[in-house]
Amino acid sequence: MNALLDGVLADLAGEGERLESLVVGLPDAAWRTPTPAAGWDVATQIAHLAWTDEAAHAAATDKARWDALVLEALADPDHSVDRAAIQGGLAAPPALLTRWRTARTRLARTLRDYPQGQKMPWYGPPMSATSMATARFMETWAHSLDVHAAVGVAPEVTDRIRHVAHLGVRTRDFAFATHRLPAPTEEFRVDLTAPSGEVWSWGPEDAAQTVIGPAYDFCLLVTQRVNRTDTSLVAVGRDADTWLSVAQCFAGPSGEGREPR
């Protein structure tokens, strides 16, 4: 029994169901609506989520399949993700939706049964089942924002985003490494105000470098769904300020981010 994992999986299921309810009734033509991610329409976003859930399942259960996915990524690191998403998005919407529903449900079962204390490989650092579930929540939430923007529906903002905020804080040094920068040698204090008004905190209270602001802004930033200049985040300290310029909580290339509004 892993109460932490069960909680993340419940929130992940809720996030997936929310996105599915948004797209399930769309006419086929609406699946071709461009999203804020350049070159990706609604179908591409859903195909990417399905593909990544399938890749995570392979990482946890099928070494040969996982090794093949790694070789594909190494052969074309700048385009392999786009290619899989765009190709997958060519499917008819009902088939694509079934593919994603099947993939995310199967992955949730796999993660719930994954041995505690073991880690599975991934494109970034190896992950426990709870870490993988958190990463899948982050990506589902982030791509859901893109779909909401495409169809003109404001997303519901809930305290479930704490998973994204936690991942954003935990991947600080990874973000520096991705940008080939030395990681800071000291911890930061991070105080973020949740949608509910609660304050979520990480790091020592007496830290010299700090980040404060709305949790929603921080989550948008670490998933590269907003330009830093359009947030209300405040950094104190040179390294903390640099972090907000390079922050990303996902594996793979950093991408170009979003233009200022």
Short mmCIF file of all heavy atoms in Angstrom, two decimals, residues 10 61-62 64 68 73 84 105 120 134 139 145 172-173 193 217-218 243 252:
data_model
loop_
_atom_site.label_atom_id
_atom_site.label_comp_id
_atom_site.label_asym_id
_atom_site.label_seq_id
_atom_site.Cartn_x
_atom_site.Cartn_y
_atom_site.Cartn_z
N ALA A 10 -4.69 9.07 -8.40
CA ALA A 10 -6.07 9.57 -8.40
C ALA A 10 -6.15 10.94 -9.08
O ALA A 10 -7.06 11.20 -9.88
CB ALA A 10 -6.60 9.65 -6.97
N THR A 61 8.04 -2.24 -18.01
CA THR A 61 7.69 -3.65 -18.20
C THR A 61 8.41 -4.37 -19.33
O THR A 61 8.44 -5.60 -19.34
CB THR A 61 6.18 -3.78 -18.50
OG1 THR A 61 5.88 -3.15 -19.75
CG2 THR A 61 5.34 -3.16 -17.39
N ASP A 62 8.98 -3.64 -20.28
CA ASP A 62 9.45 -4.29 -21.51
C ASP A 62 10.80 -3.71 -21.91
O ASP A 62 10.87 -2.72 -22.63
CB ASP A 62 8.41 -4.08 -22.62
CG ASP A 62 8.71 -4.87 -23.88
OD1 ASP A 62 9.86 -5.27 -24.09
OD2 ASP A 62 7.77 -5.07 -24.68
N ALA A 64 13.14 -4.68 -23.97
CA ALA A 64 13.45 -4.65 -25.40
C ALA A 64 12.73 -3.49 -26.08
O ALA A 64 13.34 -2.78 -26.91
CB ALA A 64 13.05 -5.98 -26.05
N ALA A 68 14.49 -0.05 -27.69
CA ALA A 68 14.22 0.40 -29.06
C ALA A 68 13.79 1.86 -29.08
O ALA A 68 14.20 2.64 -29.96
CB ALA A 68 13.14 -0.48 -29.68
N ALA A 73 15.20 7.68 -30.13
CA ALA A 73 15.44 9.03 -29.64
C ALA A 73 16.88 9.47 -29.90
O ALA A 73 17.13 10.62 -30.28
CB ALA A 73 15.12 9.11 -28.14
N ALA A 84 6.65 11.26 -33.68
CA ALA A 84 5.71 10.30 -33.10
C ALA A 84 4.36 10.94 -32.85
O ALA A 84 3.30 10.32 -33.09
CB ALA A 84 6.28 9.73 -31.80
N THR A 105 -4.81 4.11 -18.79
CA THR A 105 -5.38 3.17 -17.82
C THR A 105 -4.40 2.03 -17.53
O THR A 105 -4.19 1.65 -16.37
CB THR A 105 -6.70 2.61 -18.35
OG1 THR A 105 -7.60 3.69 -18.61
CG2 THR A 105 -7.33 1.66 -17.34
N MET A 120 12.53 2.80 -12.58
CA MET A 120 12.49 2.43 -14.00
C MET A 120 13.28 3.45 -14.79
O MET A 120 13.41 4.62 -14.39
CB MET A 120 11.03 2.40 -14.48
CG MET A 120 10.31 3.73 -14.44
SD MET A 120 8.50 3.55 -14.60
CE MET A 120 8.10 2.96 -12.93
N THR A 134 3.89 11.30 -11.08
CA THR A 134 3.94 12.75 -10.97
C THR A 134 4.31 13.38 -12.31
O THR A 134 3.73 14.39 -12.73
CB THR A 134 4.96 13.16 -9.89
OG1 THR A 134 4.60 12.57 -8.65
CG2 THR A 134 4.99 14.68 -9.72
N GLU A 139 2.71 16.29 -17.36
CA GLU A 139 2.60 16.40 -18.82
C GLU A 139 1.14 16.42 -19.26
O GLU A 139 0.77 17.16 -20.17
CB GLU A 139 3.36 15.28 -19.51
CG GLU A 139 3.52 15.54 -20.98
CD GLU A 139 4.57 14.68 -21.63
OE1 GLU A 139 4.66 13.48 -21.29
OE2 GLU A 139 5.30 15.20 -22.50
N LEU A 145 -3.58 22.18 -21.07
CA LEU A 145 -3.65 23.64 -21.21
C LEU A 145 -3.61 24.05 -22.67
O LEU A 145 -4.35 24.96 -23.10
CB LEU A 145 -2.48 24.29 -20.46
CG LEU A 145 -2.45 24.18 -18.95
CD1 LEU A 145 -1.20 24.87 -18.40
CD2 LEU A 145 -3.69 24.80 -18.33
N ARG A 172 15.23 21.30 -10.23
CA ARG A 172 16.05 22.52 -10.37
C ARG A 172 17.41 22.22 -10.96
O ARG A 172 17.81 22.81 -11.98
CB ARG A 172 16.22 23.20 -9.00
CG ARG A 172 16.99 24.50 -9.06
CD ARG A 172 17.53 24.91 -7.69
NE ARG A 172 18.63 24.05 -7.24
CZ ARG A 172 19.35 24.29 -6.14
NH1 ARG A 172 19.08 25.34 -5.38
NH2 ARG A 172 20.35 23.48 -5.81
N ASP A 173 18.15 21.29 -10.36
CA ASP A 173 19.51 21.01 -10.84
C ASP A 173 19.48 20.38 -12.23
O ASP A 173 20.39 20.62 -13.04
CB ASP A 173 20.23 20.09 -9.85
CG ASP A 173 20.55 20.80 -8.54
OD1 ASP A 173 20.24 22.01 -8.41
OD2 ASP A 173 21.09 20.13 -7.64
N THR A 193 1.99 30.38 -3.62
CA THR A 193 0.61 30.47 -3.17
C THR A 193 -0.28 29.63 -4.07
O THR A 193 -0.36 29.86 -5.28
CB THR A 193 0.13 31.93 -3.18
OG1 THR A 193 1.00 32.72 -2.37
CG2 THR A 193 -1.29 32.03 -2.63
N ASP A 217 1.56 30.32 -11.71
CA ASP A 217 2.59 30.92 -12.55
C ASP A 217 3.83 30.03 -12.60
O ASP A 217 4.44 29.84 -13.66
CB ASP A 217 2.98 32.31 -12.04
CG ASP A 217 1.97 33.37 -12.39
OD1 ASP A 217 0.88 33.03 -12.90
OD2 ASP A 217 2.24 34.56 -12.13
N PHE A 218 4.22 29.51 -11.44
CA PHE A 218 5.42 28.66 -11.38
C PHE A 218 5.22 27.40 -12.22
O PHE A 218 6.11 26.99 -12.97
CB PHE A 218 5.73 28.30 -9.93
CG PHE A 218 6.96 27.46 -9.74
CD1 PHE A 218 8.23 28.03 -9.80
CD2 PHE A 218 6.85 26.10 -9.49
CE1 PHE A 218 9.36 27.26 -9.62
CE2 PHE A 218 7.98 25.32 -9.31
CZ PHE A 218 9.24 25.90 -9.38
N TRP A 243 17.64 30.42 -12.40
CA TRP A 243 16.74 29.26 -12.43
C TRP A 243 15.42 29.58 -13.13
O TRP A 243 14.95 28.81 -13.96
CB TRP A 243 16.49 28.78 -11.00
CG TRP A 243 15.59 27.59 -10.88
CD1 TRP A 243 15.49 26.54 -11.74
CD2 TRP A 243 14.68 27.33 -9.82
NE1 TRP A 243 14.57 25.63 -11.28
CE2 TRP A 243 14.06 26.09 -10.10
CE3 TRP A 243 14.35 28.01 -8.64
CZ2 TRP A 243 13.11 25.53 -9.25
CZ3 TRP A 243 13.40 27.44 -7.79
CH2 TRP A 243 12.78 26.22 -8.11
N GLY A 252 14.19 15.94 -22.01
CA GLY A 252 14.29 16.29 -23.42
C GLY A 252 14.75 17.71 -23.65
O GLY A 252 15.03 18.45 -22.69
#
